[in-house]
Amino acid sequence: MIIPVNVTDFIGVASFSLSLAYNASVFTYSGYQNLHSTLAGGSFVANASGGKVFLTWSNISAATIPTGGLLIELKFNSVPGTGSFTWDTQTPGNCEYADINGLVVYSTWNNGSGTVNSPPAIVTHPVNKTVYASGSTNFSVSATGTGLTYLWQISTNGGSTWTNLT
């Protein structure tokens, strides 16, 4: 699962310290990708412990993402379930931006959640049947998973092409 961290009005930031809590019984932090190119000249560290991801970045010059956008994407492995992603804005030093003089830059934070569905698994497959002109038949299937739908198709050329049935 990829969790994007988006920013707006990211202007004149010389450092940040972020802490994101997650449900460790559903999600396992596995890394990050797509760190915004504006941050490439600084020192960035990401690690996880105890159901939290900690992100820090600093540079000797301030960075600006003038129109906002993607700051970074966090990668998680998961099992089926639902869990929240909560920024730790209560602990001093967490979820803070600072300017080049070390002054805290005002920011707001939006929490979220993620749901991982159970993958589909066919328990009982339908059985092939031959039907003569104007004949009819019934098919059945049994499956487990979340949000299942079924689409019945027919092939008259050994599986090269398929046509949807109603």
Side-chain angles (χ1 to χ4, degrees):
M1 169 177 273
I2 303 296
I3 302 297
V5 177
N6 294 301
V7 294
T8 55
D9 300 324
F10 191 93
I11 300 169
V13 176
S15 66
F16 62 73
S17 174
L18 310 178
S19 175
L20 181 67
Y22 58 91
N23 182 340
S25 67
V26 177
F27 305 108
T28 304
Y29 176 73
S30 62
Y32 69 90
Q33 64 188 23
N34 297 324
L35 180 66
H36 196 282
S37 61
T38 301
L39 307 179
S43 174
F44 177 76
V45 176
N47 58 43
S49 176
K52 288 186 177 184
V53 176
F54 301 94
L55 310 170
T56 59
W57 175 83
S58 63
N59 199 354
I60 57 172
S61 59
T64 294
I65 306 173
T67 59
L70 182 68
L71 182 68
I72 192 171
E73 291 176 327
L74 304 177
K75 299 188 308 184
F76 290 87
N77 295 325
S78 60
V79 297
T82 298
S84 62
F85 293 94
T86 308
W87 295 105
D88 180 2
T89 58
Q90 301 303 309
T91 304
N94 286 348
C95 294
E96 288 186 354
Y97 297 144
D99 67 12
I100 198 69
N101 298 312
L103 299 174
V104 174
V105 176
Y106 175 77
S107 57
T108 58
W109 303 88
N110 296 314
N111 298 323
S113 65
T115 298
V116 177
N117 293 326
S118 298
I122 296 176
V123 176
T124 306
H125 288 271
V127 178
N128 289 336
K129 295 182 181 180
T130 301
V131 179
Y132 297 99
S134 74
S136 65
T137 190
N138 292 311
F139 293 96
S140 63
V141 65
S142 174
T144 61
T146 305
L148 299 175
T149 60
Y150 303 94
L151 173 64
W152 294 102
Q153 297 180 318
I154 186 171
S155 176
T156 57
N157 57 10
S160 294
T161 60
W162 294 87
T163 304
N164 293 348
L165 295 174
T166 56

